[in-house]
């Protein structure tokens, strides 16, 4: 895939101690993690972007899945910078360009949370839609129409579209833990339901 560095490249730094910890404790989960969700259209240009510049479109993640991703990242870090960079390039995250040129993460929240926790400051991304010319109200309506938002709290209660922008964390650091999301992943691995590219499928089951 062609790479376009239209943003500044941030240094990729790993934490050796955390890499060792998660490599030893999350091997099983990492080996059994199945990547699903939104895929970039063929030919989409990718670029490097700071993980903390990406705005979440959901309120929570399953921390068990985050730990599984951390184990994967740790193994790449242990192999060296080139292995880590290759991994990042092969796992670009899909984003939507919003008003003010803000980039919204519409999938792979677990991976981005894991990268940040492991000290990896940037990731590869690809723009799926450009909604930068829309007003804020039009933008959120368009995001909801395309199922790019998960309008539920970790406890399962629904959030209205008017409430959601004020509740979403500004960065992935603010994502809460949704234990049912982790449970859903385990059920899928056990054959409870098939993997799907449908957005937020693991929240729905």
């Amino acid at each position: 895939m062609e790479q376009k560095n239209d943003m500044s490249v941030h240094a990729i730094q790993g934490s050796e101690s955390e890499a060792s910890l998660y490599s030893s404790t999350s091997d099983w989960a990492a080996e059994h993690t199945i990547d699903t969700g939104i895929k970039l259209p063929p030919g989409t240009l990718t670029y490097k972007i700071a993980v903390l510049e990406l705005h979440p479109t959901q309120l929570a993640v399953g921390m068990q899945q985050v730990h599984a991703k951390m184990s994967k990242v740790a193994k790449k870090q242990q192999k060296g910078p080139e292995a880590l960079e290759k991994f990042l390039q092969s796992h670009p995250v899909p984003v939507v360009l919003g008003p003010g040129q803000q980039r919204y993460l519409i999938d792979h929240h677990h991976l981005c949370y894991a990268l940040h926790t492991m000290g990896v400051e940037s990731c590869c991304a690809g723009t799926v839609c450009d909604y930068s010319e829309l007003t804020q109200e039009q933008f959120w309506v368009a995001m909801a129409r395309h199922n790019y938002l998960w309008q539920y709290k970790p406890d399962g209660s629904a959030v209205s579209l008017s409430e959601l922008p004020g509740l979403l964390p500004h960065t992935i650091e603010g994502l809460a833990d949704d234990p049912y999301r982790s449970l859903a992943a385990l059920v899928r691995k056990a054959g409870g339901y098939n993997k799907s590219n449908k957005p937020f499928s693991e929240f729905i089951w």
Side-chain angles (χ1 to χ4, degrees):
M1 181 177 291
E2 183 179 1
Q3 288 234 317
K4 179 182 178 183
N5 293 320
D6 62 2
M7 302 193 70
S8 59
V9 178
H10 296 256
I12 299 177
Q13 301 175 337
S15 168
E16 294 184 358
S17 60
E18 290 189 5
S20 176
L21 171 63
Y22 287 101
S23 178
S24 61
T25 60
S26 298
D27 284 351
W28 185 92
E31 291 174 359
H32 292 78
T33 296
I34 304 174
D35 291 322
T36 61
I38 299 170
K39 305 297 183 183
L40 294 179
T44 301
L45 296 179
T46 62
Y47 48 84
K48 296 297 286 293
I49 184 172
V51 173
L52 293 182
E53 290 183 21
L54 297 170
H55 300 285
T57 53
Q58 62 191 50
L59 297 170
V61 290
M63 287 303 171
Q64 180 176 349
Q65 292 306 102
V66 169
H67 290 167
K69 298 291 185 182
M70 289 173 67
S71 181
K72 283 188 175 182
V73 173
K75 290 180 178 180
K76 302 303 179 182
Q77 288 177 320
Q78 291 171 344
K79 292 181 179 179
E82 290 186 3
L84 177 59
E85 182 62 23
K86 184 177 180 180
F87 172 79
L88 295 176
Q89 292 179 10
S90 64
H91 292 79
V93 303
V95 302
V96 170
L97 190 63
Q101 302 298 305
Q102 299 294 307
R103 284 177 165 80
Y104 291 82
L105 181 67
I106 58 173
D107 200 5
H108 299 315
H109 290 74
H110 294 84
L111 174 60
C112 288
Y113 198 113
L115 291 172
H116 173 66
T117 304
M118 297 300 292
V120 181
E121 298 180 356
S122 65
C123 65
C124 290
T127 301
V128 175
C129 296
D130 184 349
Y131 293 152
S132 59
E133 299 300 318
L134 300 181
T135 66
Q136 286 288 341
E137 182 178 359
Q138 292 171 336
F139 169 73
W140 291 109
V141 170
M143 292 287 281
R145 182 182 300 122
H146 288 86
N147 295 319
Y148 290 155
L149 305 172
W150 183 244
Q151 295 176 228
Y152 294 89
K153 297 179 180 179
D155 64 5
S157 59
V159 177
S160 69
L161 186 57
S162 61
E163 294 178 299
L164 187 63
L167 295 177
L168 286 171
H170 187 66
T171 71
I172 52 92
E173 289 181 304
L175 290 169
D177 180 24
D178 182 351
Y180 294 103
R181 169 61 178 78
S182 295
L183 176 61
L186 291 174
V187 171
R188 186 193 68 207
K189 294 186 188 79
Y193 62 95
N194 294 326
K195 65 179 181 177
S196 170
N197 288 334
K198 183 178 180 180
F200 308 109
S201 61
E202 288 168 328
F203 285 98
I204 296 171
W205 78 280

